[in-house]
Structures are given as structure tokens and as C-alpha cells.
Amino acid sequence: MPELPEVETVKTSLNTLVSGKTIREVRVYYSPMVEGSIWDFQNALKGKTVQSVSRRGKYLLWHLGDTTLVSHLRMEGKYYLKDVDAQKDKHEHVVFVFDDGESLHYHDVRKFGTFVLRETETLFATPPLDKLGPEPLSEAFTPDALRPYLKGERSIKTVLLDQRTVAGIGNIYADEILYCAGVHPKTKAKSVRDADTLVRCVCDILIKAVRDGGASIRSYKNTLGESGRFQLNLNVHTREGEPCRACSHTIVKTKVGNRGTYYCPHCQKR
DNA sequence: CCCACTGTTTTAGG
DNA sequence: GCCTAAAACAGTGG
């Protein structure tokens, strides 16, 4: 499911729903999702209070004092707050039980999501967060920060999807950003000269998507079970065969780096 | 039934 | 270092 705008929306929900709660117990029903031993994982979390939840790229960070829980939703991960005695759904693989009788259920049909515990002190110096590029909505993401990546033979879409370039862009938003910038997704990175426009489009698209609570294309729902609204504002992604909103030419679907890729052949030239 | 596809990331092999 | 294909997994649609 989630790219930066969706993860940001989940982060906001989790902050209101679980900040200040103390973990009484953690139940793990599918252990490959958790790094290391389940026993260590459960014991490290037991008794910890959730100070806040933040986001770095597509990762959710549960701040627990000396320890930070790093959660990645991958394709389909979702969190739902339930009563402690609620029936566990078939696709719920981790349940956090709080001492106030509520529980947070991690739901993930494809079981791709991951949980790792890190010492807060070295959180950003150890995988998986150590190689991430700048936050696209921070001051650190500037044309000068992007320019070093605008070289080489890789396609510009591949570069935007590389989390080392900038953190949080995935398949939907890469397509929308390149449409905004008027750049064909297969353009070689070295041929993209206008770093300013690209940075502006990254910010524009992501800010609007965050404002809309993310995009719900197939399965994405936020922690309150609500759909996002940004799918209504998509210009190219999932619009194969439909007319471009700007020029009426037909939106085309192709593959770039093995990912389904949509673009307008008239507005986006190589 | 079979194949392709799906919002991610990592890894193997050329 | 690059690129591709495949892997982790489950569901859906043609």
C-alpha cells in the first residue's frame, strides 16, 4: 500500500490513538516479520510507553525511550485499533496489547511488512534507516541535493524510486511527479537538466497527497479504516486508455524497471 | 487452471 | 556499479 503520504497519514492516526499508552503484551503470530528472536522482541517492548510515532521515508518510528520500534508496511500493512478481546482477523500477524484494554492489530495480507527494534541512540546510523536520502518535504531536499543523482544511464523513474536519492517516493507518486515535471519516465537520469522543476513537483505532489490523506487504489485504508482521496486527483497512474487532463492524448502504460508505469506521450517527452 | 499483476525491498547473477 | 529477474506472500482478474 503505502508511500510517503499514506505512511504520513497512518503516523498521524497512530499518534492520536496510541501515544501515551503503555504496552502490556505483544503477540506475534507470524515470526518472519520480526527481526531476531520473538522472545527478545516481546520482552523489549513489554512495559514500554509509546512517547510518540514519527515517520522517516516509508518507515514508521515508534519512540519508546531508549528503544525505537521501526515498522515498514511494505505493500499492504495496516494498523487497526481494537478492543482487547476483539477476534483476531486471519491476516493480523502482530497484536500490541496496551494496559488500558485497547489493542493495536497489525494487518498484512501479503506478510511483507517488517518490524525491527533499534537503540534510539544509533537509530539513524544503522540499517534500515542509515542509507535513506533526504526527506522530500524538508529543507534538506533541494535542487543541489538532487543534482548529484541526475547522471548516469538509469531511468529518471528508477532514480526517484531509489530511497537513497530521496526518501518516501514509490510507484504511484513517481509517475505523478514525472507527469508534473513533463519528463518521460524512461529518460536517462543524465539527460534531466531541470532539477528545480523536479524538486518543485516532488514537493507539490506529495504535499497535495498528504493533504488528501493519501491515495486508495486497491487496498489502502488508514488506521481508522478510512480511504484516502488523492486517487481522485491522479493524472496518469491507473489511467491507461483515458485522456490526459491537459492535452487529451491517451495515457499509456509501459514498464520501467519492472514496475507498471503510466505517462502521457504528448506531455512527457524523452 | 494458468498467468499476470499489485502501493516494497533485497538479493542473486550477468 | 548497472540491470534484470526472482523472492518473500496472498488475492484478484483475464
Side-chain angles (χ1 to χ4, degrees):
Chain A
M1 103 189 162
E3 305 177 35
L4 184 149
E6 292 77 27
V7 180
E8 179 69 18
T9 304
V10 172
K11 179 211 79 177
T12 302
S13 303
L14 288 182
N15 254 316
T16 45
L17 293 178
V18 304
S19 280
K21 291 188 193 290
T22 298
I23 299 169
R24 178 196 292 166
E25 182 193 348
V26 178
R27 300 173 185 154
V28 178
Y29 299 94
Y30 183 72
S31 57
M33 218 166 242
V34 172
E35 181 187 70
S37 106
I38 301 308
W39 190 90
D40 288 346
F41 184 75
Q42 292 168 320
N43 278 284
L45 290 171
K46 188 177 289 189
K48 292 281 199 305
T49 298
V50 184
Q51 298 176 353
S52 63
V53 179
S54 69
R55 179 191 59 71
R56 175 78 174 95
K58 302 174 193 172
Y59 293 88
L60 288 164
L61 311 179
W62 294 44
H63 300 288
L64 307 166
D66 291 346
T67 300
T68 301
L69 174 62
V70 181
S71 160
H72 197 301
L73 307 173
R74 292 289 181 101
M75 297 290 268
E76 307 227 27
K78 302 168 185 66
Y79 285 104
Y80 294 118
L81 193 67
K82 298 191 170 184
D83 201 70
V84 69
D85 52 8
Q87 185 76 25
K88 186 185 83 67
D89 181 277
K90 172 185 177 185
H91 296 297
E92 291 171 350
H93 310 301
V94 181
V95 175
F96 300 85
V97 181
F98 300 103
D99 61 3
D100 65 352
E102 291 193 310
S103 60
L104 192 69
H105 292 224
Y106 178 73
H107 182 287
D108 190 339
V109 169
R110 296 179 69 181
K111 300 179 178 168
F112 286 174
T114 58
F115 291 92
V116 303
L117 283 175
R118 288 290 179 266
E119 287 182 29
T120 300
E121 200 168 323
T122 54
L123 178 62
F124 296 108
T126 50
L129 304 182
D130 58 336
K131 295 290 196 299
L132 288 180
E135 277 298 314
L137 300 182
S138 77
E139 295 176 354
F141 184 58
T142 60
D144 281 343
L146 177 62
R147 220 165 266 120
Y149 296 94
L150 299 183
K151 56 187 183 188
E153 304 290 319
R154 301 155 85 197
S155 73
I156 186 62
K157 178 167 179 179
T158 301
V159 169
L160 288 179
L161 288 175
D162 187 337
Q163 301 298 296
R164 294 171 298 188
T165 309
V166 53
I169 296 173
N171 205 34
I172 298 174
Y173 296 105
D175 284 356
E176 295 301 311
I177 288 161
L178 290 172
Y179 173 80
C180 164
V183 174
H184 190 294
K186 289 187 179 177
T187 308
K188 291 175 182 177
K190 69 179 182 186
S191 307
V192 177
R193 304 189 187 283
D194 191 352
D196 298 75
T197 297
L198 206 46
V199 166
R200 178 177 58 75
C201 287
V202 167
C203 296
D204 262 22
I205 297 290
L206 294 180
I207 285 172
K208 284 177 182 153
V210 169
R211 195 181 297 151
D212 279 357
S216 295
I217 290 181
R218 33 200 304 273
S219 69
Y220 169 72
K221 294 270 173 53
N222 72 17
T223 301
L224 302 172
E226 301 165 336
S227 295
R229 297 175 303 280
F230 191 72
Q231 65 278 9
L232 304 172
N233 293 319
L234 293 174
N235 283 311
V236 285
H237 197 83
T238 70
R239 296 194 65 237
E240 181 184 21
E242 294 177 40
C244 172
R245 301 191 205 282
C247 74
S248 299
H249 284 70
T250 303
I251 303 301
V252 171
K253 181 178 185 184
T254 182
K255 278 200 162 199
V256 177
N258 251 336
R259 311 295 304 276
T261 297
Y262 302 82
Y263 67 99
C264 170
H266 182 258
C267 296
Q268 297 169 265
K269 303 288 192 191
R270 295 210 202 192

